[in-house]
């Protein structure tokens, strides 16, 4: 009888343990369950959303993000039905998307990144020797936009700059490589910046302004030939040693490279003395999309991860790039050019592509 009771108790005990394990698993599953949010993003944010630490931080808040990449201006031509959010690289294409999908309210802008020019040391040194740039550290300096645009207007070549003859790679017309302004945000913002400087420090707003500035913009674009559709590809090419010695990219891309432990000795970051900030702006298409945007703006853990990937969070002065000679910790001495309306910027891009 005792043996039978012992067997029964053992069976009940094992059953209780199994039930506890199952219940624990169910509780764990409920605790880690996430809601999938689908969106389309600019390619420069792909590494951020793919970062395992970002994935964990979002999961801790109950979200899994599935993101597809697109040129920011190209998003307007996509069918975003079924998506929760769009996340272009600046406010202008976001405003267009908000109007198209009737999104009301203020569009969240969790973080931003200024445009910079990455240059090989040889190119940066020659620009500085000819008054087109100044260098304040081994890997950092300032591009004098007005002087550079004057040189572009006059079709100056590297061979016409003193000191360039020492470097065989510095040949041909002097220009910045940029992305396609009709599909890519950084390319469009380059035109916004250049047109502002060429228009005497005034934003291009009228037909007369457009006519006055587009001949120069056409030169800036046509000299490049075929253009990349994303800054991600252009930056990878530069780092690998391919292409033009001067390439327009986002500061965040350089910061992300440095955070990965790469410190190319041949890299110099030039901040245009007049530049444009790329305000990464979320277009919430659903309530889940808006909740995600709010998390990106306010969650302390996510904000720290944004800084790790080189983005500057909105809303407070965040310590940035304090341990590097490549980047400016604060954007002092850098003038921010206002961006034309979307309609004007589209027209500038169309005429520049000619």
């Amino acid at each position: 009888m005792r043996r039978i009771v012992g067997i029964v108790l053992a069976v009940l005990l094992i059953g209780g343990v199994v039930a506890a394990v199952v219940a624990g698993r169910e509780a764990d599953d409920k605790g880690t369950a996430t809601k999938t949010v689908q969106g389309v993003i600019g390619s420069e944010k792909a590494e951020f959303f793919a970062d395992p630490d970002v994935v964990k931080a979002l999961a801790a808040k109950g979200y899994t993000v599935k993101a597809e990449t697109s040129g920011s201006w190209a998003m307007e031509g996509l069918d975003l039905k079924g998506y929760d959010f769009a996340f272009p690289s600046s406010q202008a294409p976001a405003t267009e998307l908000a109007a198209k999908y009737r999104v009301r309210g203020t569009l969240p802008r969790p973080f931003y990144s200024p445009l910079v020019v990455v240059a090989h040391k040889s190119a940066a040194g020659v620009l500085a020797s000819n008054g087109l740039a100044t260098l304040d550290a081994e890997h950092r300096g300032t591009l004098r936009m007005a002087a550079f645009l004057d040189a572009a207007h006059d079709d100056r070549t590297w061979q016409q700059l003193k000191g360039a003859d020492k470097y065989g790679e510095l040949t041909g017309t002097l220009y910045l490589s940029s992305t396609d302004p009709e599909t890519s945000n950084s390319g469009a913002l380059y035109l916004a910046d250049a047109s502002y400087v060429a228009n005497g420090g005034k934003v291009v707003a009228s037909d007369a302004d457009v006519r006055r500035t587009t001949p120069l913009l056409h030169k800036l674009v046509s000299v490049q030939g075929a253009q990349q559709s994303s800054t991600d590809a252009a930056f990878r090419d530069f780092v690998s040693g391919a292409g033009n010695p001067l390439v327009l990219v986002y500061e965040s891309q350089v910061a992300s490279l440095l955070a990965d432990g790469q410190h190319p000795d041949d890299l110099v970051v030039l901040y245009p003395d007049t530049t444009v900030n790329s305000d990464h702006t979320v277009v919430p298409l659903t309530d889940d999309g808006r909740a995600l945007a709010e998390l990106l703006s306010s969650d302390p853990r996510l904000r720290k991860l944004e800084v790790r990937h080189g983005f500057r969070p909105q809303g407070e002065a965040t310590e940035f790039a304090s341990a590097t000679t490549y980047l400016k910790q604060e954007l002092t001495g850098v003038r921010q050019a206002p961006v034309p309306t979307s309609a004007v910027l589209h027209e500038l891009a169309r005429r520049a592509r000619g």
Side-chain angles (χ1 to χ4, degrees):
M1 187 68 178
R2 289 178 180 175
R3 185 178 179 185
I4 293 172
V5 171
I7 292 172
V8 170
L9 288 174
V11 170
L12 290 173
L13 179 62
I14 292 170
V17 170
V18 171
V21 170
V22 171
R25 285 179 180 172
E26 288 177 351
D28 287 344
D29 288 345
K30 290 178 181 177
T32 58
T34 59
K35 184 180 296 184
T36 298
V37 182
Q38 190 162 353
V40 57
I41 62 174
S43 62
E44 69 290 327
K45 293 183 284 288
E47 287 188 5
F48 172 77
F49 281 105
D51 184 338
D53 289 335
V54 173
V55 173
K56 289 178 184 177
L58 288 169
K61 296 295 182 179
Y63 291 93
T64 295
V65 175
K66 288 188 176 180
E68 302 170 15
T69 61
S70 167
S72 293
W73 285 101
M75 290 181 190
E76 189 179 345
L78 301 178
D79 181 3
L80 298 182
K81 184 179 180 181
Y83 287 79
D84 296 290
F85 70 97
F87 202 173
S89 303
S90 70
Q91 193 171 7
T95 300
E96 291 286 309
L97 287 168
K100 180 178 179 180
Y101 291 95
R102 299 179 181 179
V103 177
R104 296 181 179 179
T106 302
L107 299 179
R109 292 182 288 167
F111 45 77
Y112 67 98
S113 182
L115 289 173
V116 298
V117 175
V118 289
H120 296 304
K121 269 188 176 179
S122 57
V126 170
L127 291 179
S129 297
N130 288 267
L132 303 179
T134 58
L135 301 178
D136 52 55
E138 183 182 5
H139 298 286
R140 185 184 65 235
T142 301
L143 180 69
R144 299 178 59 196
M145 276 299 288
F148 184 85
L149 292 176
D150 284 344
H153 177 269
D154 295 340
D155 299 316
R156 293 183 74 180
T157 64
W158 284 105
Q159 292 93 321
Q160 292 173 319
L161 302 181
K162 63 181 180 181
D165 57 336
K166 299 177 185 177
Y167 309 102
E169 70 274 17
L170 299 182
T171 61
T173 305
L174 179 67
Y175 68 91
L176 297 181
S177 286
S178 62
T179 53
D180 183 347
E182 291 193 293
T183 60
S184 172
N185 179 66
S186 61
L189 292 185
Y190 178 35
L191 299 187
D193 188 15
S195 66
Y196 177 79
V197 175
N199 201 38
K202 296 184 293 184
V203 66
V204 172
S206 66
D207 290 341
D209 292 340
V210 171
R211 288 194 300 272
R212 182 165 48 251
T213 56
T214 48
L216 171 62
L217 302 187
H218 179 66
K219 276 193 175 186
L220 298 178
V221 170
S222 62
V223 71
Q224 300 183 47
Q227 293 176 288
Q228 298 272 22
S229 60
S230 76
T231 52
D232 185 49
F235 185 58
R236 284 200 309 267
D237 285 349
F238 176 86
V239 172
S240 69
N244 193 43
L246 301 172
V247 181
L248 190 78
V249 300
Y250 296 113
E251 179 194 55
S252 58
Q253 292 171 291
V254 182
S256 182
L257 181 78
L258 299 172
D260 285 341
Q262 299 184 58
H263 296 81
D265 185 59
D266 191 38
L267 171 65
V268 177
V269 181
L270 299 175
Y271 285 78
D273 56 12
T274 301
T275 191
V276 177
N277 279 344
S278 179
D279 289 316
H280 295 266
T281 305
V282 182
V283 182
L285 302 173
T286 65
D287 290 342
D288 288 339
R290 185 167 290 279
L292 173 67
E294 291 173 358
L295 276 178
L296 293 172
S297 300
S298 62
D299 183 74
R301 187 177 177 189
L302 286 168
R303 287 173 69 89
K304 287 182 180 179
L305 290 169
E306 289 159 12
V307 172
R308 182 204 290 180
H309 282 268
F311 300 111
R312 296 177 182 254
Q314 300 276 11
E316 65 182 46
T318 303
E319 184 173 327
F320 183 83
S322 59
T324 177
T325 61
Y326 292 81
L327 304 178
K328 286 181 178 287
Q329 186 172 3
E330 296 181 1
L331 297 175
T332 53
V334 176
R335 185 179 187 184
Q336 298 299 318
V339 179
T341 65
S342 296
V344 170
L345 200 50
H346 273 301
E347 183 62 15
L348 289 175
R350 185 186 68 80
R351 295 196 185 194
R353 291 284 291 169

